[in-house]
Structure formats: C-alpha cells, structure tokens
Amino acid sequence: MSDIDVKPDTIAKPKIEQPRLYKVILINDDYTPREFVVAVLMAVFHMSEDQAYRVMMTAHQRGACVVAAFTRDIAESKATEGINAARQAGHPLEFTTEPEE
C-alpha cells in the first residue's frame, strides 16, 4: 500500500443567481368598471374571483396594488395583455411593472 492518500478534487458548482423579479402593479382609475377589472385579473393572472376582487379593492382604496411578481419578460407581457384587453373594451385601465427591491 502507498502512503499517499489520493482523494478526488471536489468540483465547485457555480452559484446560479435567481432571476430578478418584477412586480406587476394595477393602477386605479375612476373610469374602468370594477367588474371589468375583476374579469381582467381573473383572465390574465388566473386569480379566483375573491382574490381578484380583493386586489381591485386594494387598488381602488390605495391608488395602486401589486398584482403579482414574475421574471421581467413575463411581468411585462402580463401587463401588456391586461392593458390590451382594456383598450379593446374601451377602458383606460393601466398596469405597470417595476423591479422588486
């Protein structure tokens, strides 16, 4: 037997960073009907009616409400999808995105 102890080198795995998340924010306005906002939240963000109603009411009372957080591409596409649905129905409903802190 040899006096030399040979052990395999440990392989350092590169640390993979999680992608930065972006918040989709519903902006309140005084013109879009509440029922329509709930319908958009249910269709675009796959919320239950109760969840969508709570988000809509929070935005109504506070002026804005975070709807969800996604990676940047998904957040922007969801916001655009919601805005497009509103424009097709003739409503000024707005969604914005911003990075999470």
Side-chain angles (χ1 to χ4, degrees), residues 14-20:
K15 188 172 184 179
I16 299 173
E17 279 190 39
Q18 293 292 335
R20 188 169 190 184

Side-chain angles (χ1 to χ4, degrees), residues 6-53:
V6 179
K7 292 183 181 177
D9 291 337
T10 57
I11 299 172
K13 291 184 181 180
K15 188 172 184 179
I16 299 173
E17 279 190 39
Q18 293 292 335
R20 188 169 190 184
L21 294 179
Y22 282 72
K23 299 181 281 191
V24 178
I25 302 168
L26 168 63
I27 307 297
N28 184 58
D29 65 71
D30 294 331
Y31 305 102
T32 306
R34 293 178 180 188
E35 297 80 17
F36 181 80
V37 176
V38 170
V40 169
L41 292 171
M42 290 170 60
V44 175
F45 297 95
H46 307 290
M47 293 183 171
S48 69
E49 188 172 357
D50 289 340
Q51 287 174 313
Y53 182 79

Side-chain angles (χ1 to χ4, degrees), residues 83-98:
I83 291 169
N84 289 342
R87 296 302 175 273
Q88 286 178 346
H91 298 297
L93 183 65
E94 282 291 327
F95 291 92
T96 62
T97 61
E98 68 180 44

